[in-house]
Amino acid sequence: MKRKMNEKQEAESLFLRKWCLTIIDFIYSDKVIQTDLIELRKQAFSEETKTRYLEQTTPGIYLKGLRQAYNDINDMALNAPNQILEKLNNSLFAQFGKDLSTDSQNISSRLEEIVDRGKIINDEEFRVVEQKVSDISQIDAQSQQIIILNNLLATYYMSKK
């Protein structure tokens, strides 16, 4: 049975899918190898895939998966060489009015809110904190911030059991 998304969910779904496809197209536009893999990635954001998922699950779960894919693609794109990243950001800003650095700033302010609150309240916040720990540990594994963030992660993890 196909479940319907409300107007807000539909708008978010459309934005996430277009954003991800824009990045995929930009990053892989000049690649002639691995075209099957590129098409498979693009297919994940198609209207057909959306319909198939909504026949099997709720709109909320579908959107949660899209948000995770959005975060993963943004993380991948942020690792692109600076020259490509600058062009990608220009393209994203022209099309969406924001770019990867805007999104990165949003994550930083969100992380600050979580730390100030002193606890993680959902899985998405857990992912944000976990990603930050991973990023910091590559630079300075002994950082005091890692200890604070790991305590937040552990507390949230234990509350889920």
Side-chain angles (χ1 to χ4, degrees):
M1 176 177 129
K2 183 178 178 188
R3 295 173 175 99
K4 299 276 185 189
M5 294 196 301
N6 64 37
E7 193 174 307
K8 183 179 176 186
Q9 291 171 323
E10 195 66 55
E12 182 181 3
S13 166
L14 184 61
F15 167 77
L16 293 172
R17 291 185 296 133
K18 281 185 175 183
W19 177 274
C20 291
L21 286 170
T22 299
I23 292 174
I24 290 169
D25 284 341
F26 189 89
I27 298 288
Y28 296 109
S29 63
D30 62 344
K31 307 288 189 260
V32 290
I33 54 173
Q34 298 179 335
T35 55
D36 292 341
L37 181 60
I38 295 166
E39 285 307 310
L40 187 61
R41 287 180 176 167
K42 290 171 78 170
Q43 184 181 2
F45 300 102
S46 71
E47 190 67 31
E48 295 80 26
T49 300
K50 174 185 147 190
T51 301
R52 194 169 17 129
Y53 273 97
L54 290 175
E55 288 174 355
Q56 300 172 8
T57 189
T58 66
I61 292 173
Y62 170 72
L63 282 171
K64 185 176 182 179
L66 268 182
R67 288 181 200 119
Q68 183 62 50
Y70 168 86
N71 291 329
D72 291 346
I73 286 177
N74 286 347
D75 289 344
M76 175 211 51
L78 285 167
N79 290 320
N82 286 341
Q83 183 179 7
I84 292 172
L85 187 57
E86 185 177 327
K87 289 178 183 176
L88 175 59
N89 276 332
N90 290 338
S91 176
L92 289 170
F93 194 82
Q95 190 169 350
F96 299 100
K98 70 178 201 168
D99 60 21
L100 292 165
S101 61
T102 306
D103 190 60
S104 181
Q105 291 168 352
N106 291 342
I107 289 173
S108 294
S109 64
R110 192 157 178 213
L111 185 65
E112 190 176 314
E113 285 177 26
I114 295 166
V115 171
D116 289 347
R117 183 185 328 119
K119 75 179 209 176
I120 298 170
I121 58 174
N122 59 38
D123 290 346
E124 180 62 24
E125 287 186 356
F126 184 88
R127 190 201 67 76
V128 168
V129 173
E130 189 175 45
Q131 182 62 47
K132 185 64 174 181
V133 168
S134 175
D135 293 346
I136 294 170
S137 66
Q138 293 177 21
I139 299 166
D140 180 9
Q142 303 303 317
S143 169
Q144 185 64 30
Q145 190 177 17
I146 289 178
I147 295 168
I148 294 166
L149 297 176
N150 273 335
N151 285 336
L152 292 172
L153 291 169
T155 301
Y156 181 75
Y157 180 78
M158 295 307 288
S159 72
K160 295 292 280 185
K161 283 190 165 195

